[in-house]
Amino acid sequence: MKILVAVKRVADYNVKVRAKSDNTGPDLANVKMAINPFCEIAVEEAVRMKENGIASEIIAVSVGPQSAQEQVRTALALGADRGILVQTDTDLEPLAIAKCFKAICDNEKPDMVLLGKQAIDGDNNQTGQMIAALTGWSQATFASEITIDGDAVTVIREVDAGLQTVKLKLPAVITADLRLNEPRYASLPNIMKAKKKTIDNTTPEELGVDTSPRVTLLKAAPPAERQAGVKVEDVAELIDKLKNEAKVIS
Ligand code: AMP
């Protein structure tokens, strides 16, 4: 089984990202970048499938600037076999990214596309669903367990009310939720080995993808500053403040 796994370059989740002073977007100058955490989980799942003899080849795919090679390289160090970088300096919308994946699916004919459930920068939660729509393949989002049985795959999905189990036919698009697995760290020998693995470069234009935007970002603003707390002397004062200042009880 051949697996395409998506790796997006995003600001490291430990970084507190600020908005640009003119509110036109996040200020990413000199910010530490990393693989989107949900993509790390997708890579880990693909690598476990290879270790269990289910997957034969894992291709890590990123759509982004030349520097996104770093994240593809990290996926190679974690166990992917080769990489594809769809190079663009434009911050593409999920539809354009999904079209790039669709074109790669046409070329590579994978049995499964594994993605994160969302990218922690745009919080769109759209790309996997759009790839499924464009390819016509089955989809399971928010996966917390994946079991392969021949050309069928059973996925346990995390939904608001609990867990939902679905059975899909391959090829399928699956997006990883937080509890699917705990990703490993890349070992030094594997980081060295990854340097020899191939990363093919292409562009949305070469893939025949129309990247024209459909959405205009009007404003990016930081959340409101949290006000300092106050200490109360006793329960009576607390109740008084909840009633008369916060007005959350009557
Ligand atoms: P989103 O729909 O933007 O929340 O992203 C959902 C998932 O799609 C992410 O967790 C990634 O696995 C994948 N994805 C989104 N954008 C990219 C990108 N530029 N390159 C590679 N994978 C991406």
Side-chain angles (χ1 to χ4, degrees):
M1 188 166 85
K2 188 169 171 178
I3 302 181
L4 276 194
V5 63
V7 286
K8 185 172 190 192
R9 178 181 171 87
V10 296
D12 187 281
Y13 72 95
N14 291 303
V15 173
K16 190 165 181 262
V17 177
R18 295 171 198 287
K20 285 185 192 156
S21 52
D22 60 2
N23 293 116
T24 52
D27 187 357
L28 296 178
N30 302 319
V31 164
K32 181 174 180 250
M33 304 298 280
I35 292 192
N36 178 49
F38 293 106
C39 299
E40 268 188 325
I41 298 173
V43 172
E44 175 67 31
E45 195 64 15
V47 172
R48 289 186 191 188
M49 286 183 198
K50 189 156 182 215
E51 288 169 345
N52 293 335
I54 296 165
S56 51
E57 188 181 26
I58 303 168
I59 308 167
V61 180
S62 193
V63 182
Q66 180 60 32
S67 49
Q69 261 215 354
E70 287 168 27
Q71 280 62 47
V72 177
R73 198 63 75 188
T74 306
L76 298 180
L78 290 168
D81 296 290
R82 61 186 169 96
I84 299 176
L85 174 64
V86 183
Q87 206 189 317
T88 170
D89 289 324
T90 314
D91 191 14
L92 297 184
E93 291 172 7
L95 182 58
I97 293 163
K99 286 180 179 172
C100 292
F101 272 87
K102 156 79 167 96
I104 295 171
C105 286
D106 289 345
N107 296 338
E108 297 284 350
K109 308 205 168 21
D111 302 283
M112 186 185 291
V113 186
L114 266 172
L115 305 98
K117 71 165 177 180
Q118 78 194 63
I120 60 164
D121 51 1
D123 277 345
N124 291 308
N125 175 19
Q126 294 174 1
T127 311
Q129 294 88 327
M130 287 179 172
I131 297 172
L134 292 169
T135 51
W137 294 352
S138 2
Q139 67 164 312
T141 50
F142 311 110
S144 65
E145 198 179 306
I146 303 174
T147 316
I148 314 283
D149 183 13
D151 70 344
V153 49
T154 304
V155 179
I156 300 182
R157 306 182 55 230
E158 296 205 14
V159 294
D160 278 353
L163 298 175
Q164 185 187 59
T165 305
V166 292
K167 193 170 179 185
L168 323 172
K169 267 198 140 181
L170 294 173
V173 179
I174 301 177
T175 72
D177 211 325
L178 196 62
R179 278 163 285 270
L180 181 59
N181 59 50
E182 248 186 64
R184 71 195 65 189
Y185 293 100
S187 67
L188 192 58
N190 285 344
I191 293 172
M192 300 312 287
K193 269 191 225 157
K195 294 190 181 189
K196 296 208 179 99
K197 295 184 181 175
T198 316
I199 301 178
D200 290 318
N201 273 265
T202 183
T203 61
E205 295 72 33
E206 273 175 18
L207 294 172
V209 171
D210 165 19
T211 56
S212 41
R214 265 93 173 150
V215 178
T216 310
L217 175 68
L218 298 180
K219 190 177 169 193
E225 287 282 326
R226 223 179 129 184
Q227 307 236 319
V230 286
K231 272 194 180 164
V232 290
E233 289 297 325
D234 50 29
V235 174
E237 191 189 346
L238 173 66
I239 291 177
D240 177 64
K241 283 193 182 295
L242 290 175
K243 253 189 200 167
N244 301 316
E245 278 183 28
K247 296 192 174 27
V248 289
I249 58 171
S250 49

